[in-house]
Amino acid sequence: MTDAPGEVLPEPVASSWTTATVREVEHVGATFVKLRMEVADRHDHVPGQHYVIRLRAPDGYTAQRSYSIASDPTDPLVEVMIECLPRGEVSGFLHDVVEVGDELEVRGPIGRWFVWGGTTPSLCVAGGSGVVPFVSMARYARRTGTEPLMRIAASAQTRDRLPYADELEEYGAFIALTRENQPLADGSERVAAHLYPDELVPLADGIERAYVCGSVGFVSFVGRILGEAGVRSDAVRVEQFGPTG
C-alpha cells in the first residue's frame, strides 16, 4: 500500500473478531476514559487506524462502536481514548463499568484512507476527541524523528475537554479553546474563540495533505478555512462523527 512517493505502508490485513484484555484503565476528567488493551493475535497498526469494540449482553444483543487508536505502532498495548456520551450505550459501559482484567471483543486495525506513514508533509486539525488518531501520528513522528512533517491544530470548548492536551502542547500543537481564554507566551491572552483562519493558514503552508477529524459542523468549518488557505480539496482527508455512542 503506497501512501505517497517513497512512502510504503503495510498491506491491509483481513481483520476478524478477537479478544482484548484490558490492562489499564484511567479516567481523564469527567467524561473520558483511557483504555490500554492487550489484543490477542494482534496485527501492527498504522497511525490513523481504528478498532471496533463490540459489547454482548447475556441475551445475545450486541452493540459496537469504532474508536481511533492513540498508541504508537510499537507500543505493546493498544490505547484508545473514549468520550462518554449522553445515553451512549457503548461509551457509557466502557467509561463506567469496564475494569482491569475485563475482556472485550474487538476487530482491527481498520482503515486505509485516514493514515499517515511518516513522509508526507501534513497538517492535522482536530475538534475535541477527534484528536485521538493524531496522537498516534504524533507519537510515531516523535519516535521516528519526523516531527517537522506533522503539524497539529486542536480545538475544544475547554482544556479539560481536550484529551492529551499536555502531550499535544509538548509536541508543539496549536490549541484553540472556545470557552476559555488562554495565556500566551508573550504575556497576552488568546480570547476564547474557534480557530481563526489566520491561525490555520501559516500551519497549512507547504503541506501536501490535511487530515480533519471532528463533528460534522467542525469538519465543514475547517474545510472552508483550508480551502481559503489554498489547500486542494483532494488533499484533505476527513473523519467525522456524530452524537451516537
Side-chain angles (χ1 to χ4, degrees):
M1 173 180 165
T2 301
D3 187 53
E7 182 170 37
V8 179
L9 303 179
E11 289 295 327
V13 295
S15 60
S16 57
W17 290 102
T18 187
T19 300
T21 304
V22 178
R23 297 302 185 195
E24 299 177 25
V25 177
E26 179 185 350
H27 289 89
V28 181
T31 58
F32 292 99
V33 62
K34 178 168 66 178
L35 303 181
R36 287 176 53 79
M37 308 175 293
E38 182 178 354
V39 177
D41 304 315
R42 175 183 167 187
H43 298 284
D44 290 342
H45 73 272
V46 180
Q49 289 188 304
H50 65 272
Y51 271 84
V52 177
I53 298 179
R54 181 169 67 186
L55 305 180
R56 186 182 300 274
D59 63 2
Y61 171 77
T62 62
Q64 63 188 49
R65 296 291 184 270
S66 296
Y67 295 103
S68 294
I69 304 166
S71 42
D72 178 80
T74 60
D75 192 324
L77 300 179
V78 171
E79 180 178 320
V80 294
M81 180 73 75
I82 294 153
E83 182 177 12
C84 183
L85 300 176
R87 298 178 297 279
E89 58 180 341
V90 176
S91 64
F93 181 88
L94 297 175
H95 183 275
D96 299 337
V97 180
V98 164
E99 299 178 342
V100 171
D102 287 351
E103 293 186 346
L104 300 171
E105 295 179 56
V106 302
R107 185 167 65 87
I110 298 170
R112 300 183 62 184
W113 175 249
F114 203 80
V115 296
W116 186 69
T119 67
T120 307
S122 300
L123 169 63
C124 301
V125 188
S129 60
V131 78
V132 176
F134 304 147
V135 172
S136 179
M137 295 179 187
R139 290 172 172 177
Y140 175 80
R142 295 192 75 167
R143 177 174 58 82
T144 59
T146 54
E147 299 105 307
L149 299 178
M150 172 58 61
R151 304 168 189 168
I152 299 175
S155 177
Q157 293 177 348
T158 59
R159 190 177 178 88
D160 63 2
R161 296 297 302 274
L162 181 65
Y164 301 104
D166 291 344
E167 183 175 345
L168 290 166
E169 204 163 58
E170 183 181 350
Y171 180 82
F174 179 84
I175 295 175
L177 303 179
T178 63
R179 296 187 182 178
E180 288 180 352
N181 291 352
Q182 298 167 254
L184 301 177
D186 62 4
S188 63
E189 279 193 331
R190 181 189 185 276
V191 177
H194 292 283
L195 285 163
Y196 293 113
D198 61 0
E199 292 172 329
L200 274 187
V201 167
L203 296 174
D205 182 44
I207 66 168
E208 297 176 13
R209 182 174 303 145
Y211 300 86
V212 186
C213 187
S215 67
V216 175
F218 178 84
V219 166
S220 176
F221 167 70
V222 172
R224 291 196 300 272
I225 294 179
L226 291 175
E228 293 170 3
V231 179
R232 303 188 323 275
S233 60
D234 63 356
V236 180
R237 300 189 177 187
V238 168
E239 276 197 353
Q240 57 190 29
F241 48 80
T244 58

